[in-house]
Amino acid sequence: MITAASAPPEPDSPDWYQVDLERFHGPLDLLLHLIRRQDIDVLDIPIARITGQFVAAIREVHDLPLERAGEFLEMASQLVRIKLRMLFPARGGEDEDEDPRADLVRRLLEYEHFREAADLLGRAERERALRFARGYQPVRSVPTPEPAALESGWDDLWAAARELEPAGELPDPQLTMARRPIPIEEKIEWVLSSLERSGRVEFGTLVAPWGTRPHAVSSLLACLELARRRDVRMRQSGPFAPLWILPPSPP
Amino acid sequence: MNPLRVIEAVLFASDAPVRVVDLARAADDLDEDGVEAILGELRIEYERAGHAFSLVEIGGGYQLLTRPEYAGVLDRFETVPRSGTLSRPALETLAIVAYRQPVGRAEIEDIRGVSVGGVLRTLIDHELIEVVGRGEGLGRPLLYGTTTRFLEHFGFRSLEELPRSDELPVVLSRERSAEPVEEEGISKEEGDGEG
């Protein structure tokens, strides 16, 4: 994928600029490294040479995560674009006078400026770390105050719920669940055999022989399961009206 | 009670710098000038007695810190809280926020040439930066600035103590101002941020 964006191979392609991409904090960092290492005047960058070296250096770019790879590739394409504009200057354009490298140079200098600033901060940080205060940790992690709803998982929810619950009042973690006393499979067979006998069955008559709540629940589940399989149809004219179980509609 | 000892007690027991205005609450007839005078006395007292700690002005307040020469020994003690250091990308991002604040994510990414979402989140988690407002550009981007904790972490008294950008070898302010300003809604505050 790099060859598509790459410049023609450079005649002088020594190995020394083989670099470990992981070491660099982005394309500007790498570009500055190449420039500074060769004592190149930033205001007069030999674009063809640097482009070749940059492209060669990011050969291993596909080892990087996609987002980081994209950052390096974007810079490569920008370099190639500048190189082209130096070879074929736009004629009569309003920015005829401007060096095609100007914008890049500005960015490089600005980035270098902040790199120096980061060095100064790093030095200040090291000096500060030599002095200790009571119980003070200069960098400490705190819970993210921003809305984290989308990043919360079940664990977070559970932890939050436990915090709400006053200690000692948590429900016994060993919940006992009653086994379902009547297997649904049994009820399914009962529904089907009743249907076979009488053509159509009212729900109440299915439950009537037992009349207990567990039987009613199992019977209803059986009917719903059969309806889901399209083995029966269920009809009810209104709430609390008789619930009829019918054979599946004829094809 | 001797106000000097009261202030000493507050400084001793605090785990963060204490502002002069807060120290003034230590005693009834104490104002900020009085506090400054007492702080001066304490500083001299610690100096003369050769204590292992000194009174340091930091993060907009005052704090008792051990002298640097004890760092090596203290590092060997589990009971002493260690200070963490930031990664290079975090330092670069923080530098941009510090000098350009208030600054939006887009401008930071433009300067560094990489995406900085994760780094910003880390810096916010560490309370080194915070959202200070919204820009005027597209989507009203969040603008970030540094916190008091930032000053504490790097040992600065205030933002004025940051190494000034014109002391840095590369200066860009002139080139930047020559450009037509296109940054999203933060151009107005830009001059202030440099201090």
Side-chain angles (χ1 to χ4, degrees), chain A residues 145-185:
Chain A
E146 300 214 349
L150 289 177
E151 290 170 13
S152 298
W154 172 248
D155 291 342
D156 298 330
L157 192 63
W158 179 242
R162 290 194 63 117
E163 275 174 25
L164 286 177
E165 203 82 25
E169 286 182 29
L170 278 178
D172 185 355
Q174 286 186 321
L175 290 176
T176 47
M177 290 185 75
R179 283 176 63 88
R180 195 165 48 223
I182 305 120
I184 290 178
E185 288 69 29

Side-chain angles (χ1 to χ4, degrees), chain A residues 11 41 44-45 63 69 79 108 129 133 200 245:
Chain A
D41 179 3
D44 189 19
I45 301 172
D63 292 340
L79 286 171
L108 278 172
R200 61 179 207 168
I245 317 297

Side-chain angles (χ1 to χ4, degrees), chain A residues 110 119 125 131-132 134 142, chain B residues 12 54 88 125 153 176:
Chain A
E110 186 175 49
D119 287 342
E125 184 183 48
R131 315 199 64 168
F132 292 74
R134 292 173 40 79
V142 293
Chain B
F12 176 79
S54 59
R88 182 72 202 180
D125 283 354
H153 181 70
R176 282 184 62 83

Side-chain angles (χ1 to χ4, degrees), chain A:
Chain A
M1 72 216 242
I2 292 177
T3 42
S6 85
E10 291 293 317
D12 58 333
S13 42
D15 289 340
W16 62 261
Y17 53 74
Q18 292 271 325
V19 291
D20 176 14
L21 269 194
E22 290 287 344
R23 258 187 51 218
F24 291 94
H25 308 298
L28 288 170
D29 199 22
L30 171 58
L31 204 54
L32 264 183
H33 169 81
L34 292 174
I35 289 169
R36 291 303 182 205
R37 192 159 169 180
Q38 298 170 88
D39 269 334
I40 290 171
D41 179 3
V42 183
L43 297 176
D44 189 19
I45 301 172
I47 278 292
R49 191 164 112 211
I50 285 291
T51 302
Q53 292 171 356
F54 186 87
V55 169
I58 66 170
R59 286 250 158 76
E60 309 303 320
V61 75
H62 48 262
D63 292 340
L64 294 178
L66 192 61
E67 191 182 30
R68 291 204 60 203
E71 292 159 358
F72 283 99
L73 291 174
E74 194 186 337
M75 176 58 72
S77 77
Q78 195 190 337
L79 286 171
V80 172
R81 206 159 49 235
I82 294 171
K83 185 175 160 183
L84 282 175
R85 276 193 54 200
M86 302 215 31
L87 289 173
F88 309 103
R91 273 182 304 158
E94 50 194 65
D95 53 5
E96 193 181 4
D97 297 338
E98 211 200 359
D99 192 316
R101 299 170 294 185
D103 195 50
L104 179 67
V105 170
R106 217 153 22 222
R107 284 191 71 191
L108 278 172
L109 288 177
E110 186 175 49
Y111 177 64
E112 189 165 49
H113 166 87
F114 282 108
R115 230 169 50 162
E116 311 268 3
D119 287 342
L120 292 177
L121 283 187
R123 204 175 305 156
E125 184 183 48
R126 283 193 298 279
E127 272 172 33
R128 170 66 185 83
L130 294 177
R131 315 199 64 168
F132 292 74
R134 292 173 40 79
Y136 171 62
Q137 289 162 293
V139 170
R140 55 185 132 179
S141 284
V142 293
T144 314
E146 300 214 349
L150 289 177
E151 290 170 13
S152 298
W154 172 248
D155 291 342
D156 298 330
L157 192 63
W158 179 242
R162 290 194 63 117
E163 275 174 25
L164 286 177
E165 203 82 25
E169 286 182 29
L170 278 178
D172 185 355
Q174 286 186 321
L175 290 176
T176 47
M177 290 185 75
R179 283 176 63 88
R180 195 165 48 223
I182 305 120
I184 290 178
E185 288 69 29
E186 228 166 71
K187 284 292 173 191
I188 285 179
E189 275 172 34
W190 171 247
V191 173
L192 287 176
S193 62
S194 306
L195 207 56
E196 214 167 281
R197 278 200 302 276
S198 41
R200 61 179 207 168
V201 192
E202 205 276 314
F203 184 71
T205 62
L206 280 176
V207 187
W210 298 277
T212 64
R213 187 173 292 231
H215 278 281
V217 170
S218 291
S219 299
L220 184 62
L221 288 175
C223 291
L224 290 172
E225 173 62 20
L226 284 168
R228 191 184 66 79
R229 295 187 202 157
R230 296 181 194 282
D231 287 338
V232 303
R233 287 177 296 153
M234 294 168 79
R235 289 288 177 271
Q236 191 176 31
S237 56
F240 306 110
L243 174 61
W244 288 99
I245 317 297
L246 311 167
S249 47

